[in-house]
Amino acid sequence: MNGENYGNNRKRKYVWGALIIVLLTTCGILLLTWCGNGSLSEEEKKQRDSAIVATIQHHSRLFTAETTSRKTITYTSENKLTISLLGKDRVMKIPFGKTTATIPVNVTYKAYIDLGKVTRDDIIIDEKNKMIHITLPDPVVVETAVRVDHDKEKMDKEWFGKKLTYEEYRKLVRDAKEQAWEELTEEEMRVITETAKVTAGEMVTPFLHSLGFKNIMIEYRPTFTTKEIMKENY
């Protein structure tokens, strides 16, 4: 199995290496033509545009910013006994039957820009002024880790209290995870998404400079707000 994975990894490296060589060769030819004050034919423009899009898409997802949200959830239950008396059911609490659980949960989120979604329609090129304008996709936040802080976890069970079942315990952790997401502040969301935006721009800009673009504008959807952020599970 390890040998198979190693072979697949080597194959992927060769494929990406060949792609990069083709892109660099194409871009180099176009760069010499442009910088030499020559005009590009329609076919050369298509090759250049395809190379730009393919190189940007190659970066795909880049996780560049993260934040952690902490949520402590508390659970309390009392062991009860149901008895039938004169045709009616009565519920009675069992003495010393309380169970209390305190579960601290840390959830880590990371943000990225999916450059793999960039298309030619997102790019505007001004040939005369050697300017390029790119609109990148909206940032996405991914839940990458959920960890229970067992050192601070508490479980108190009286003599006749019921132990939490595995299913009940997992449900409490899931509830904590959902509440942690809901309680992330707008400022925390803004910081990680803005960091992802800046890093994506810094990655793309040097490549565009190498193609001879003097003026580079990288923007995002102007109407985007943190309330629209999509959450994905890793």
Side-chain angles (χ1 to χ4, degrees):
M1 182 65 71
N2 290 336
E4 182 180 347
N5 290 336
Y6 176 72
N8 290 335
N9 289 334
R10 289 189 64 184
K11 185 177 180 180
R12 292 191 193 99
K13 289 180 180 178
Y14 289 143
V15 171
W16 282 116
L19 175 61
I20 291 172
I21 290 173
V22 172
L23 292 175
L24 290 177
T25 302
T26 303
C27 293
I29 294 172
L30 299 177
L31 177 59
L32 290 174
T33 304
W34 202 352
C35 291
N37 294 321
S39 59
L40 298 178
S41 66
E42 288 303 315
E43 182 60 30
E44 288 172 332
K45 288 179 182 178
K46 289 181 180 179
Q47 291 178 9
R48 177 203 58 197
D49 296 350
S50 296
I52 292 172
V53 173
T55 304
I56 292 174
Q57 289 178 342
H58 168 66
H59 293 292
S60 191
R61 299 182 179 187
L62 177 69
F63 294 91
T64 57
E66 74 172 43
T67 187
T68 299
S69 179
R70 181 182 177 88
K71 180 66 183 180
T72 298
I73 197 160
T74 301
Y75 166 88
T76 301
S77 71
E78 293 195 65
N79 200 356
K80 298 176 182 179
L81 178 66
T82 301
I83 61 175
S84 181
L85 184 63
L86 299 177
K88 294 183 178 180
D89 290 339
R90 297 185 61 184
V91 177
M92 299 180 59
K93 293 181 181 179
I94 298 177
F96 305 106
K98 182 183 288 186
T99 299
T100 303
T102 303
I103 307 172
V105 178
N106 296 321
V107 186
T108 300
Y109 305 97
K110 293 187 178 182
Y112 72 89
I113 306 296
D114 191 352
L115 298 178
K117 292 183 177 180
V118 174
T119 68
R120 180 61 184 85
D121 293 336
D122 299 316
I123 301 174
I124 300 173
I125 297 176
D126 182 341
E127 306 283 353
K128 181 178 179 181
N129 298 309
K130 296 183 180 179
M131 183 186 79
I132 185 168
H133 178 282
I134 301 178
T135 301
L136 296 182
D138 295 340
V140 178
V141 174
V142 181
E143 175 190 289
T144 58
V146 179
R147 185 178 65 85
V148 176
D149 188 349
H150 294 292
D151 291 337
K152 296 182 179 179
E153 184 180 41
K154 294 181 180 179
M155 197 77 64
D156 297 320
K157 185 178 77 68
E158 295 180 343
W159 287 351
F160 302 110
K162 287 184 177 180
K163 290 184 64 176
L164 276 174
T165 65
Y166 176 77
E167 291 74 17
E168 289 172 331
Y169 183 84
R170 296 306 302 167
K171 182 180 183 303
L172 290 174
V173 173
R174 288 196 301 271
D175 290 344
K177 183 178 69 170
E178 292 305 316
Q179 291 178 31
W181 169 255
E182 294 171 0
E183 293 178 11
L184 272 176
T185 67
E186 186 173 346
E187 178 63 16
E188 288 173 321
M189 298 291 274
R190 187 191 66 78
V191 169
I192 61 172
T193 53
E194 288 301 319
T195 301
K197 288 180 180 181
V198 170
T199 305
E202 290 175 344
M203 174 187 297
V204 172
T205 298
F207 165 71
L208 298 176
H209 274 307
S210 72
L211 289 181
F213 290 107
K214 295 181 179 179
N215 302 309
I216 300 171
M217 294 181 63
I218 297 177
E219 295 185 338
Y220 294 84
R221 183 164 60 93
T223 57
F224 174 78
T225 66
T226 55
K227 295 180 180 179
E228 298 177 76
I229 290 176
M230 304 245 341
K231 185 191 76 167
E232 295 180 355
N233 293 325
Y234 190 67

